[in-house]
Amino acid sequence: MIEIPDDMHPDVVPLAFLLGTWEGAGVGDYPTIDAFRFGQQVTFTQDGRPFLAYTSRTWLLDDDGNRVRPLATETGYWKSKLDGSVEVTLAHPTGIVEIWLGETDNGRVEIRTDVVARTVDAKEYTAGHRLYGLVKGELMYAYDMAAMGQPLQAHVSAQLKKVDTEIAAD
């Protein structure tokens, strides 16, 4: 059962299943890097306005599951409409910003990049596709990426468990 906060803006109710802090682990691979395991923490909050605030941070895991070093971090905002359309804006400290468009339905979100902008020093990254789903109370996702001259293909996937139900944005 998904709890919908009383003060949640009606436009983002289709994304209510994302609210809270999620933690877990995943795997990654790409033709230009070695395969790896990572830990992740994702937080979605709301404050009554028509968007969810989002942060994600990841870290490299060793073979025993211990943290080795930080990996990717991203922050942004997720918006939806009652018709199921979704808009996501993300910023990365590595010099990349993205606008994603897609749809949500019944505990599932599928988004694709509409715009990718990079600073002069940012690595080449041209497109992405993400699929998120609530499966037996866990948040699963897969992220396909086109970067470094490679076509769109699988990059990372993870399985996250809810660790709290924080719902208010700062």
Side-chain angles (χ1 to χ4, degrees):
M1 177 110 176
I2 297 168
E3 184 178 332
I4 299 174
D6 293 338
D7 67 340
M8 186 169 215
H9 193 284
D11 283 355
V12 289
V13 166
L15 298 175
F17 73 96
L18 296 169
L19 287 173
T21 298
W22 304 81
E23 291 182 355
V27 295
D29 198 5
Y30 206 68
T32 59
I33 60 173
D34 293 331
F36 61 97
R37 294 179 49 226
F38 66 95
Q40 183 169 24
Q41 181 184 66
V42 171
T43 302
F44 289 91
T45 59
Q46 70 88 35
D47 64 4
R49 292 182 285 175
F51 58 82
L52 302 183
Y54 163 84
T55 58
S56 170
R57 58 190 189 101
T58 61
W59 49 89
L60 185 64
L61 296 176
D62 65 18
D63 291 339
D64 295 322
N66 299 310
R67 291 184 187 194
V68 176
R69 63 178 168 80
L71 291 174
T73 300
E74 60 187 20
T75 187
Y77 300 94
W78 291 54
K79 296 171 61 176
S80 67
K81 299 288 184 186
L82 293 177
D83 68 2
S85 63
V86 175
E87 299 174 3
V88 178
T89 56
L90 296 179
H92 306 258
T94 55
I96 295 171
V97 294
E98 305 159 286
I99 297 174
W100 298 74
L101 302 176
E103 57 189 30
T104 184
D105 184 38
N106 199 26
R108 178 181 180 274
V109 176
E110 185 169 8
I111 53 177
R112 296 180 186 276
T113 50
D114 181 55
V115 175
V116 175
R118 302 184 324 245
T119 61
V120 172
D121 295 330
K123 290 183 179 179
E124 179 197 341
Y125 164 68
T126 57
H129 171 248
R130 296 185 187 196
L131 180 62
Y132 295 81
L134 190 61
V135 180
K136 296 182 181 176
E138 296 184 348
L139 185 61
M140 313 281 218
Y141 81 90
Y143 169 36
D144 297 346
M145 176 176 78
M148 307 304 290
Q150 301 293 315
L152 189 67
Q153 59 193 286
H155 176 43
V156 296
S157 61
Q159 180 176 352
L160 309 174
K161 297 180 186 307
K162 188 173 270 193
V163 294
D164 77 30
T165 55
E166 177 183 335
I167 57 173
D170 293 335

